[in-house]
Each structure stands twice: as structure tokens, then as C-alpha cells.
Amino acid sequence: MSKRFRFLIVLTVLALCFLFLWPSISWYVRTPKEMQQLALSSLEHIKDYSLAMAHADVSQLKELARSDMNGDLPEKFLPFIDSAKKNRKDMGDEIPSQWNVGEFIKSFPSEFELQAEIEGSYRDEILKAKNYYSNSAKLGLDLSGGMSVVVKADLEAAALAQKEAATGQSDAEFRALAMEQAIENLSERVDKFGLSEPVIRKQGEDRIYIEIPGAAQADRISSMIMGKGLLNFRLVDSEATEKFADYYNDNPATTFNSEGELIDTSVIPEDCEALGYYVKDDYGLDERRGYLVVKKEVALDGKHIKSAEVGSDRNGKPQVNFILDGEGAEIFADFTSANVGKNLAIVSDDKIKSNATIRTPITGGQVAIDGFSLDEAQNLQKVLQTAWLNVPLSIESQQVIGASLGEQAISQGIRAIEFGLLAVMIFMLLWYHGAGINAVVAQILNLYMMFSILSAFNLTLTLPSIAGMILTIGMAVDANVIIFERIKEELRLGKDRASAIYSSFKNAFWTIMDSNITTFIAAMFLSQLGSGPIQGFAVSLAIGVISSVFTALFVSHLMFDFNTDVLKRKKMSIGWGIKQ
Amino acid sequence: MKRVVRFDKFFIPAVVISVVAITAGLITFAMRGFNLGLDFSAGLIEEVRIASPAINVKYTGSGNAAIEVAQNEIVVILTGATIENASHQISFDENKTVSSVVDALNKIEGITAETVSSGDVESSRLFADVNSGSTLSGSRDFPIYTTTKTEKPATVDSIRGLLEADFPGVAVKQVGEPAQLTFQVKIPDDGTDPAISETARTKTAAALTKEFGEGNFAITKADFIGAQFSQSLITQVFILILLTLVLIWLYATIRFKWEYALGAIVAIIHDVLIMISFLAWSQIEVVSIIIAAILTILGYSINDTIVVLDRVRENSKNPNLDRHDIKTVMNLSQSEMLTRTIITTMTTMFAVLSLFIFTTGSMKDFALLLMVGMISGAYSTIFISSAVIVAVRGRKEKKGSAVVAKSDSSKKKASKKAKDSEADSSHGDSSNTINVETPSQWK
């Protein structure tokens, strides 16, 4: 392999590594904490925030217009001038040379359009930060603090309960369905806490892994995981809903406080509450379409639902049929008779999932809801299913780490890396003199590559993985030592610099490969053991092995050759007692 | 020519030392067993600090407020559409007392902080628990704790006494500085209570509340492992260690002759046994990371051994040596690689030593175990693996030289050759080159 080619490869690798490292640097160093907080919250929260900010900006603009049409345009609107110019072109108007408040407002056909655009820019900014986060290396729970829970779903008990409902599915199908249900329920409940980017995923056949980084209310969350969901039917107050919608449009930011409670409770009748109405979007996530004002009183409790199915009505359109038990049928009959023409909301865990009009009284306990697409029907059926399909969950393992302990761990890890690296570097310089610089550069490059690979694959950095990196540095130096000792031997035999380097690298190649492959084997096996911290250690060890082989064989060789060819060195500075 | 150390002289004493150490370790294990940590013994482990709130914080603004209580600062992050988004840092270095911190907190818009304890308490002693979350609200107090003198005594015995009624198998020990009143409470899960994770936590909280008062203790860590999980983990560990050994042995057999591979594998088994003995003797808490240490040393020690075996293979091909005399080849190879073995062990030691110095708890134990393993690794590479190889090859050679003797035509010459080579090899002279057979008339 020619030297120039080798040089190109090294450069490419370094550049690639920087590319991978960039999101991590952007997130941890360049993003301020407030933006981080926003970026980590749920999409719903981000949307609400952007909308509220845009609304406030537009209101501010209107105020300015009222007082002085020719006033200067505030700085924050300057980025939108390009869009204003484009609108002017489309409208066929000429583009003003000077932009003041009046000209700017004229460029937008409606207040709503401007607000939507500003909202979009706020949202994009936050989503960009969120993107950095998803592409960077994450901090493990032991460094960031947080909670991890492994939940076991008792599918056997759920299967027994299902037999009563008898919906005719095969066993395997049922299990998959039950797991999906359980995971969805958990996601919704954890979401309610408004925590940053929780991770909820299936592990194996019947386990769910939940990870909540950052400080969270540990005991509340654990109880919530074990608890059952709430499903009930409530009456919708349509008048109040309309009034509330207007109120919310005018005051998007000041309607609810940070806990989700109404700041001004006089906006809706005393016996009602305002809940969000959610529909599943293209990604299967809940998207809030608006708010409905529903009576606090529960019209029908979900426990009366015996079964729910998706079927089609007389016209072939999708509808959801569900059957109530005896008691439920009676309650429902009374309720529907008294409220024909009004709307009924199906509420699941404080979220409204369906809003249906009561057309006729329903006395037989067999209810049909129509007026949606097949997807919507299936989603609703799943919601109703939670009433009887109850998968009991038990906590199999749980770990809670306080955030301050996490910080302590980070500083420990950093100091350990610094000290370890320094000690190794000083030793190499003392023992191997000039060649020691070679080793030092190789080790620094090693660390750099390890971090970028971690970032590239969005792996998690834990204290054990920092330990893995430190260990790798110690072991990576070994490759350099093997080569340097070899070079010393060759020089002692009387070879000159160039041939000593050449034959050392050639001979040492297989020795280095052999020893590193075995460490790699150990690391690969280790990564299969458990999850979280140990995996972090094994993965960083494995990564370290790869990068250290690269730096020892490629980069070191290149550096020696550089000195030989470019700097025309004849002798090697490689320690004491080597006569050249 | 480099100086060659006669390692083979030390083979027997080295093997004896190792056998003694390992036997002692196994006896200790039989007597004391391992100190199984959380991952391997099911139950709840909580870190409880007997402390009371020093500051209560509320947020009554229109945005969202999050709070982080760290080692040397408190950070309050405000976000929201109607307020100025900012993060406020209150450093403990600048605000050395609780009252100073409370003043700084109150300066932040929307934040109300009140001092509950004495205002003179040092701010560096403030900490938060894991059950308060990080969001500030207007209706709920967010407590920031500090350790204070308690009315009722808070000792290992008193706390154990509180919990023994509900959980007879509870184990309590004090961790950290004594003044910090931090206790590690271990409640085992014997599989009888399916909701043990909940009941263990709630009953502990109830008992502590009864004794010390509502809110006068803080949970700073909580780990729970169910009975099934820990059991499956133990089997997993065994299988993993076994598989790693097998795979490494296979790899070594492919790359080298089988007797070399045998030497290598015996060396790393030796290391594993030494580490296990150390675990039993030191009673270090065995958690997953400790198993990671064992597997790491497996990979690391074989690393060492293979480098030497590589050199042995190379020297065996060298026509200037008596390549049939395994002892000389071994001694030579080990001596040549000695510098490298020592330097590598030293540099990795630097790395692990820095881990040992700067970390606490399990990571510190991990580093300690690694150091033990690395020293054992160097030792086993130099002495144990070569001892095994020499022993096995020695037997092969005896058979081999007998064969050579028989095929030789002259019986006298043959027996002389056998005698000479035996006599020569007992010298093990480093500059042994070609075996010169002295004709009988010259003797």
C-alpha cells in the first residue's frame, strides 16, 4: 500500500470522525440548557411552545402597528423579510426598499399565515436541536441520573382473561397484541409526566425496558407503571367547548399552567373540565386536535365494556361495535335516552380519544360508533380493548440514580481519563524519547476516534465505558511498545532506520492482530451480558481495539515514514543505548 | 546477545506459589462465599439519607421551571412562551450558606424559596433526592435536603430495628462519611411477594416516616432486581465465561501448536482462579461490572501470552538455536519479551490506577480487581504458561529423542548422543548453538 494512499486513508478517517462527532459537540457544547430542555420535551409541548411564541410575536407586531405604522421592524422579524418579498412578488406588488412595520404587515395576506410561518421557524429551531440530540452519543443513567425499569408482562394471566372475551385470535397473535397494548399504555402514562425523551421498548418476548433520563419522580412512576389505566365515557358540553376554543385561541400561552391546570377556572362551567382531544398521526403518535369541555361526572365506566370489534355499517363504512355487560347496558340506556343529540366523549387516561354524537337511545347494550376511517376505527377499538384486556405488569428490575450522583460520576470519569492519559504519555516520552511522541499522538487519536464512533452509532456513554476507554489506552500503548521494541532490536542488529521500520511493522503485524483479536472476542461476549453499564464497557473496549489497531499500524507507520522521507531523518530517537 | 534469564529455574516454585494461593482462595470461598451484590441477589437496595429539607422551592410563573441540584451548584432552567428562557446557575462557591442560596433563588423570576432549616448551614451540603423529580410547581414544594442532627438516633442498628419487623432478612450498612448519615438498606426478594418492589419501598418509607417524621429522610438511590432476573443472570455469567475460554482456546489452537494453546489456556484459567480467590478473600461486592473485570482479564492475559508464544514460534524456526530444546527456546523468548511484558503491564497499570484513585464504589472495586488480574496475568504469562509448555513438550521430547536414538545405526553413538543431549540441556546455556558430539577418542 503506497504511502500517499495510506495518508489519504488516514485523512479520510479523521474527517469522517469529525463529521460523526459534530452532533455530539453541537448538543453538549453549543446548545444552551434552556434549548436542551425544550428539545427534550414531547412533540406536543414543542408545538404548543412554538404556537404560543408565534402568537406573542404577532400580537407584539399588531401593537406596534397600532402605535406607529412606520416604526422600525423589530430584529426578530428580519429573517422573515425574504418570505415577505416573495409574497409581494406573488401578489404582483413592488418590493419596498425600506422595511417598516406597515410594509411588513402588508406583505402577508393574513395574520394567520404570518403566525404559522413564525411558528414554523421556532419549531424548526427546536427540532434541529432535537436532531443533534438523536445523533449524538447519549449519557448513560449513571452519568445523567435517571431511572431504568424492566417490566415483565404476565401474558399468561392476560390470556386467561382474554378467553372470557373470546375474540378468536391465535395464541401467538394474542401475545403480540397484548404486548403492543401494554407498551402503548405505558408510553402514554409515562408521557403524562412530561419527561425528557423516555425510552420504552420491547425486550425479548415478554419484557419491556423503560429508561427515563434525568431526574424524575421515581416512586410516582413506579406506582404508575403497576397501576391500571382509566377508561370512561363523559358527556360533552358543546357550548362551553366552543367558548373555550375561542378563549384558547386568544390566549394560547396563558390558559394552562405548567402542571396542565387551568389558570383561570371561570372560563368553563364548574362541573366540567377541559381535556385534549387526540388523534393518531401518520407516525402513530398522539396529536392533539383541540380541547373539549366535558363533564367531570363519569357517564359510564369502562369496566362495563365486554368486547369491542371493528366492523362495517350498512354502507360498508368502518364502524366500531362494542358490547356492554348487564349493568352497563342499563346505565347506558338511561344516559343515552336523556341526552339524545348531545356528544359523548370516550376518555382514556385524561385524553379524549373519540367524540361521537348520540343519535338514538341505546338500550340493548350493543353500541356502534361510525364516521371515521378504517385506521381511526382500529385505533378506537384498541382504546376500548384496554377495558378488559388487562396485562398485569410486574417490575423485574429497577434502577434509580440521583442526578447529583451522575454529575459526580462524570467528573470522576473525566479526571481518571486525564490522569491515565497523562501518566501513559509521560512514561512513553521518558522511555522512548522521540518515538514517544508517536505513541502520544496515536493515543490522542485513539480517544478521538472512540468518541466519534460512539457518537456515530448514538451509543450510550456510561462510567464503565469511560473505564473501557481508559483501559484501551493502556492496552493500545502495548501495540506501540511491541513495535518500538522490535525497532530497537532491528537497530541493534545494525539495520538502518528505514529498513528497521519496515521490517518491524511487517513482523509485528500478526502479533498485534493476534493479541487484539482475543481481546475483541472477550469484549464481544461481554457485550451480550446484561444491559446498560456492562454493555457500555464492552462496546467501548471493542471500539477501542479497532481504533488502536488502526492507529498503531497505520498512523504510527505513517508518522515514522514522514520523518524518514520528508524530514530526511537518518537516525531514530527511540530510547537509550541504541547505537545507530 | 541479550542477557537471558533462566526462567525455568523458577517454574516449580512459581507453580507451587500459585497452587497455594488458589487453594487458600478456594478454602476462603468455601467458608465465606461471595459477597453477592445487587445484580446477583434479588431484592431492593436503597440508599437512604437521614436528612431534612433545608430549602423548599416553588415556582409560580407562567412557564416551566426545572431544577438540578448538583455537587457544587444549583441550576434552574426556565422555559416557556411567555417568559424569558434562561438557565440560572447558583454556585455553592459563591453562595456559601443556605440563606445566601435562598436569596439567589428568590431573585429568579417566579421562584419562591424559603429556608426551613437554619440559614447558616453550608450550601455544599445540600442535595436532592430521587423522588422529587426535577419540575418545580406552584402547588408542591420541591425540597432540597441537608443532613442535620436528628432527635431519634440514626445508626445501622436502629434502622435495622425499624425494618426487621416487616423484612426479617434486611441488611443495613453505613456508607460514605459518618456525618452524612447515609445508609444502604438491602431487602431481599425471596419470591414470595409478587409486588415486592412496591411493598419493599412503601413499607420502608412508612417505617422511616414513623421514626423520623414526614419528609425527614431522602432516598438518593434505589435499585431493585427480581428473583427471576438475578437467577438468570448468574447462569448467563457462567455460560459466558465458559464460552469465552473455549473460543480463546480454539483461536490459540488454530494459530499455534496445541501444546502452546494448552499453556495459554492454563495461564488464563489460573488468572481467573486467582481473581475468584481474591474476591472471596476481600469480600468485594460482586456485581455485573466485577464479572466484566474477569472477562477483561481473560482477553488481556491471553494477549500477553500470545505475544510471547509468537516469539517462541519465531525462535523455533531459527536454525541457530537448538530448537528441539524447548527450555532454551522458552527462556530466550521470555527474556526477549520481558521488557515488553513489563512495560505493557506498567502502562495499563497507570490507566487502571487512575481509575482506582478517582472513582468510588463499584468502579473502585473494579479497578482493584483489574490490578490483581493484571499482575496475575503477567506472572502467569512468564511462569505458568511456559511451565506447562515445557512440561508437555519435555515429555514429547523424551519420546522423540528415544525415537531418534533407535533409528541411529551405531548403538554406542546413539546412547552417547542421548546422554550428551540430556547433559547439555541440563546446563541450559544461553549461547547453546549446535550440539557438538565429541567423538569418544577426544574425551
Side-chain angles (χ1 to χ4, degrees):
Chain A
M1 188 175 291
S2 86
K3 291 182 192 162
R4 201 157 298 183
F5 191 52
R6 233 183 277 147
F7 183 59
L8 269 168
I9 292 187
V10 171
L11 271 181
T12 322
V13 167
L14 288 180
L16 263 176
C17 285
F18 186 73
L19 212 69
F20 289 138
L21 208 50
W22 180 244
S24 294
I25 298 176
S26 296
W27 176 258
Y28 289 106
V29 178
R30 291 173 61 232
T31 310
K33 281 209 179 210
E34 317 84 76
M35 184 56 85
Q36 280 187 2
Q37 192 80 343
L38 279 170
L40 289 176
S41 50
S42 63
L43 280 171
E44 187 183 331
H45 186 95
I46 293 177
K47 264 201 233 169
D48 285 344
Y49 172 81
S50 313
L51 178 65
M53 288 296 277
H55 185 91
D57 285 347
V58 170
S59 307
Q60 184 197 16
L61 200 63
K62 286 201 290 195
E63 275 287 317
L64 283 173
R66 243 168 275 161
S67 54
D68 179 11
M69 264 296 208
N70 297 325
D72 287 325
L73 199 61
E75 250 193 69
K76 60 169 112 170
F77 295 103
L78 292 178
F80 298 97
I81 289 187
D82 285 332
S83 172
K85 283 191 193 160
K86 188 172 158 299
N87 283 352
R88 287 290 182 122
K89 261 207 202 145
D90 290 339
M91 290 195 287
D93 285 341
E94 58 174 59
I95 297 175
S97 50
Q98 259 243 346
W99 286 96
N100 57 27
V101 172
E103 298 289 343
F104 186 73
I105 290 188
K106 266 197 263 173
S107 319
F108 290 92
S110 74
E111 175 186 322
F112 179 72
E113 243 194 62
L114 175 61
Q115 181 172 296
E117 237 190 85
I118 300 180
E119 180 191 342
S121 91
Y122 275 111
R123 197 174 44 214
D124 287 341
E125 197 188 332
I126 301 177
L127 288 179
K128 193 167 96 158
K130 207 180 183 58
N131 194 31
Y132 281 143
Y133 176 73
S134 31
N135 284 334
S136 56
K138 313 275 188 306
L139 285 181
L141 286 185
D142 57 347
L143 294 180
S144 67
M147 198 170 154
S148 81
V149 186
V150 173
V151 172
K152 186 159 172 330
D154 190 352
L155 293 176
E156 308 288 338
L160 282 171
Q162 186 246 18
K163 289 219 168 47
E164 294 174 21
T167 48
Q169 286 155 323
S170 78
D171 202 37
E173 250 182 46
F174 170 75
R175 277 165 184 263
L177 198 68
M179 278 303 283
E180 225 187 273
Q181 180 88 340
I183 292 179
E184 234 193 76
N185 281 349
L186 276 178
S187 312
E188 297 213 348
R189 284 185 233 159
V190 172
D191 261 353
K192 248 203 316 190
F193 283 87
L195 301 162
S196 42
E197 293 257 335
V199 170
I200 302 180
R201 59 165 181 258
K202 193 163 150 196
Q203 203 182 54
E205 252 219 27
D206 57 353
R207 286 181 170 77
I208 303 172
Y209 177 71
I210 305 173
E211 193 180 281
I212 302 171
Q217 294 161 280
D219 51 2
R220 269 185 75 187
I221 294 178
S222 328
S223 339
M224 174 270 305
I225 289 177
M226 310 260 283
K228 270 185 72 167
L230 274 176
L231 178 70
N232 52 45
F233 293 68
R234 320 246 206 114
L235 190 66
V236 176
D237 186 338
S238 311
E239 252 184 61
T241 305
E242 262 190 56
K243 252 180 63 186
F244 184 76
D246 289 333
Y247 176 78
Y248 182 72
N249 270 337
D250 290 333
N251 309 288
T254 49
T255 310
F256 296 104
N257 67 13
S258 54
E259 309 250 290
E261 296 159 3
L262 277 173
I263 294 183
D264 180 5
T265 48
S266 64
V267 220
I268 54 174
E270 249 199 64
D271 61 348
C272 297
E273 54 181 349
L275 296 176
Y277 171 49
Y278 292 84
V279 169
K280 288 235 183 278
D281 66 4
D282 296 328
Y283 302 102
L285 298 169
D286 273 340
E287 195 189 329
R288 194 186 69 230
R289 287 285 169 83
Y291 287 97
L292 296 178
V293 176
V294 295
K295 295 246 185 282
K296 286 191 191 155
E297 187 194 337
V298 171
L300 179 70
D301 194 301
K303 66 181 186 218
H304 295 297
I305 300 180
K306 279 200 331 204
S307 71
E309 266 181 15
V310 174
S312 28
D313 64 7
R314 268 171 286 130
N315 301 328
K317 296 245 179 70
Q319 72 178 22
V320 177
N321 304 315
F322 61 94
I323 302 178
L324 300 170
D325 63 10
E327 198 187 328
E330 265 188 54
I331 301 175
F332 205 57
D334 293 336
F335 175 74
T336 48
S337 313
N339 293 295
V340 175
K342 298 227 186 99
N343 276 19
L344 182 68
I346 303 184
V347 182
S348 163
D349 274 336
D350 288 340
K351 284 184 182 171
I352 299 178
K353 294 297 177 82
S354 180
N355 181 14
T357 318
I358 302 171
R359 279 195 234 108
T360 62
I362 297 166
T363 44
Q366 295 201 7
V367 193
I369 305 184
D370 60 19
F372 27 48
S373 67
L374 185 61
D375 281 335
E376 290 168 347
Q378 283 170 335
N379 287 332
L380 183 60
Q381 189 262 350
K382 282 201 199 130
V383 169
L384 293 173
Q385 198 172 260
T386 60
W388 82 90
L389 177 55
N390 192 28
V391 185
L393 300 170
S394 61
I395 295 186
E396 208 177 54
S397 83
Q398 177 186 306
Q399 242 197 340
V400 184
I401 298 175
S404 59
L405 278 173
E407 277 230 10
Q408 200 182 41
I410 292 182
S411 61
Q412 280 177 356
I414 293 180
R415 264 185 294 170
I417 287 191
E418 286 173 357
F419 182 80
L421 195 61
L422 211 66
V424 169
M425 294 208 282
I426 291 179
F427 173 76
M428 290 302 274
L429 283 171
L430 284 176
W431 191 261
Y432 287 114
H433 300 199
I437 301 178
N438 202 318
V440 166
V441 172
Q443 290 326 305
I444 295 179
L445 236 59
N446 232 342
L447 263 183
Y448 172 71
M449 281 178 64
M450 282 197 279
F451 273 115
S452 41
I453 295 183
L454 267 181
S455 178
F457 292 104
N458 307 331
L459 298 173
T460 313
L461 186 71
T462 59
L463 197 56
S465 61
I466 295 182
M469 286 184 185
I470 296 175
L471 207 63
T472 306
I473 293 176
M475 302 203 295
V477 169
D478 178 39
N480 285 339
V481 169
I482 292 177
I483 293 173
F484 292 174
E485 287 298 316
R486 195 74 198 219
I487 293 181
K488 271 166 135 176
E489 282 181 21
E490 302 277 335
L491 289 173
R492 279 198 202 103
L493 289 176
K495 290 202 184 142
D496 72 330
R497 180 193 165 108
S499 35
I501 293 175
Y502 176 75
S503 52
S504 305
F505 273 96
K506 198 164 101 161
N507 287 324
F509 179 80
W510 271 114
T511 319
I512 295 177
M513 287 303 274
D514 276 336
S515 59
N516 278 305
I517 286 178
T518 46
T519 317
F520 192 74
I521 291 176
M524 288 309 287
F525 270 106
L526 199 50
S527 68
Q528 302 305 311
L529 169 68
S531 58
I534 311 300
Q535 245 182 358
F537 174 74
V539 165
S540 73
L541 206 62
I543 294 176
V545 162
I546 297 174
S547 75
S548 68
V549 167
F550 178 75
T551 49
L553 292 176
F554 246 63
V555 179
S556 293
H557 200 169
L558 210 64
M559 287 198 282
F560 278 131
D561 287 341
F562 179 76
N563 278 347
T564 318
D565 299 335
V566 178
L567 298 183
K568 304 279 188 229
R569 294 258 172 84
K570 292 286 181 200
K571 300 204 187 151
M572 283 222 70
S573 162
I574 200 166
W576 297 290
I578 313 288
K579 295 204 187 75
Q580 298 177 50
Chain B
M1 195 76 178
K2 248 175 133 179
R3 196 173 56 93
V4 176
V5 180
R6 287 281 320 271
F7 286 109
D8 62 306
K9 278 202 199 139
F10 300 104
F11 284 170
I12 307 240
V15 171
V16 169
I17 294 176
S18 290
V19 168
V20 166
I22 293 178
T23 324
L26 289 177
I27 295 178
T28 324
F29 172 67
M31 291 197 312
R32 290 205 227 165
F34 287 135
N35 173 11
L36 287 179
L38 173 71
D39 299 336
F40 300 104
S41 68
L44 177 72
I45 293 188
E46 273 188 331
E47 201 175 273
V48 180
R49 286 184 72 164
I50 310 299
S52 38
I55 308 176
N56 276 336
V57 188
K58 276 202 175 83
Y59 176 68
T60 46
S62 52
N64 295 321
I67 186 169
E68 289 173 14
V69 179
Q71 283 278 78
N72 38 27
E73 63 180 4
I74 293 180
V75 181
V76 175
I77 307 171
L78 299 174
T79 54
T82 49
I83 58 170
E84 191 188 315
N85 290 1
S87 67
H88 304 266
Q89 271 172 311
I90 301 172
S91 138
F92 289 159
D93 290 329
E94 286 165 27
N95 300 289
K96 291 211 196 302
T97 61
V98 164
S99 28
S100 164
V101 169
V102 170
D103 287 337
L105 278 170
N106 277 320
K107 287 208 191 97
I108 304 174
E109 196 172 316
I111 302 276
T112 2
E114 53 165 354
T115 324
V116 181
S117 72
S118 144
D120 294 327
V121 172
E122 284 163 30
S123 56
S124 52
R125 287 170 43 191
L126 292 171
F127 67 96
D129 71 346
V130 294
N131 287 329
S132 307
S134 61
T135 327
L136 294 173
S137 86
S139 51
R140 223 176 4 105
D141 279 325
F142 181 89
I144 305 181
Y145 292 88
T146 185
T147 322
T148 51
K149 288 215 188 343
T150 55
E151 288 171 12
K152 305 264 182 71
T155 61
V156 171
D157 293 318
S158 68
I159 295 188
R160 194 184 320 119
L162 291 173
L163 303 169
E164 259 172 348
D166 288 317
F167 306 108
V170 66
V172 181
K173 73 174 187 215
Q174 191 158 15
V175 294
E177 289 164 52
Q180 307 239 335
L181 291 182
T182 313
F183 299 93
Q184 192 192 68
V185 174
K186 220 190 226 182
I187 297 176
D189 172 18
D190 49 8
T192 51
D193 182 358
I196 184 83
S197 62
E198 268 297 295
T199 43
R201 216 158 7 91
T202 43
K203 286 207 182 141
T204 317
L208 288 167
T209 309
K210 211 169 99 178
E211 178 79 353
F212 298 107
E214 176 91 34
N216 280 340
F217 62 94
I219 312 276
T220 46
K221 232 204 238 185
D223 295 336
F224 172 79
I225 293 265
Q228 260 187 337
F229 195 76
S230 68
Q231 189 53 44
S232 62
L233 206 63
I234 295 180
T235 30
Q236 228 187 346
V237 164
F238 270 125
I239 296 177
L240 261 151
I241 294 185
L242 224 67
L243 274 178
T244 314
L245 277 172
V246 166
L247 224 80
I248 290 181
W249 188 13
L250 274 173
Y251 182 77
T253 322
I254 295 174
R255 295 285 294 149
F256 306 94
K257 297 194 192 150
W258 75 269
E259 54 258 27
Y260 293 176
L262 184 67
I265 215 74
V266 168
I268 58 177
I269 293 180
H270 160 272
D271 295 329
V272 172
L273 288 173
I274 293 274
M275 287 170 83
I276 291 181
S277 311
F278 182 74
L279 278 178
W281 173 77
S282 65
Q283 287 289 301
I284 286 176
E285 197 176 2
V286 176
V287 280
S288 300
I289 193 76
I290 301 295
I291 307 298
I294 296 183
L295 284 168
T296 311
I297 294 296
L298 276 183
Y300 179 80
S301 176
I302 197 73
N303 198 327
D304 247 12
T305 317
I306 281 187
V307 166
V308 174
L309 290 182
D310 212 67
R311 186 50 76 94
V312 169
R313 181 172 49 190
E314 198 184 310
N315 282 341
S316 306
K317 297 194 189 125
N318 187 343
N320 296 334
L321 288 178
D322 172 18
R323 48 199 141 141
H324 297 300
D325 182 7
I326 186 66
K327 266 197 206 150
T328 32
V329 176
M330 214 63 206
N331 282 336
L332 182 64
S333 313
Q334 291 283 11
S335 311
E336 285 176 346
M337 300 312 289
L338 188 65
T339 323
R340 179 251 159 213
T341 308
I342 292 184
I343 292 181
T344 303
T345 313
M346 244 173 39
T347 53
T348 325
M349 274 297 207
F350 284 148
V352 179
L353 199 67
S354 82
L355 260 179
F356 180 74
I357 295 175
F358 290 109
T359 57
T360 54
S362 281
M363 284 312 292
K364 209 184 182 84
D365 295 335
F366 169 75
L368 184 61
L369 195 62
L370 272 184
M371 288 199 280
V372 168
M374 282 182 348
I375 296 175
S376 161
Y379 176 87
S380 71
T381 301
I382 297 176
F383 296 109
I384 307 294
S385 63
S386 7
V388 168
I389 295 175
V390 166
V392 172
R393 282 282 283 220
R395 226 176 290 161
K396 238 181 151 189
E397 265 163 31
K398 283 211 178 108
K399 283 196 204 150
S401 52
V403 170
V404 169
K406 279 195 188 140
S407 65
D408 200 38
S409 46
S410 161
K411 270 198 180 175
K412 232 188 175 185
K413 268 194 185 166
S415 58
K416 243 238 173 113
K417 204 175 194 172
K419 261 203 234 155
D420 279 355
S421 63
E422 265 188 53
D424 280 327
S425 63
S426 68
H427 292 306
D429 194 3
S430 60
S431 51
N432 221 349
T433 49
I434 306 172
N435 239 345
V436 176
E437 194 193 357
T438 44
S440 40
Q441 54 263 55
W442 291 93
K443 277 228 164 142

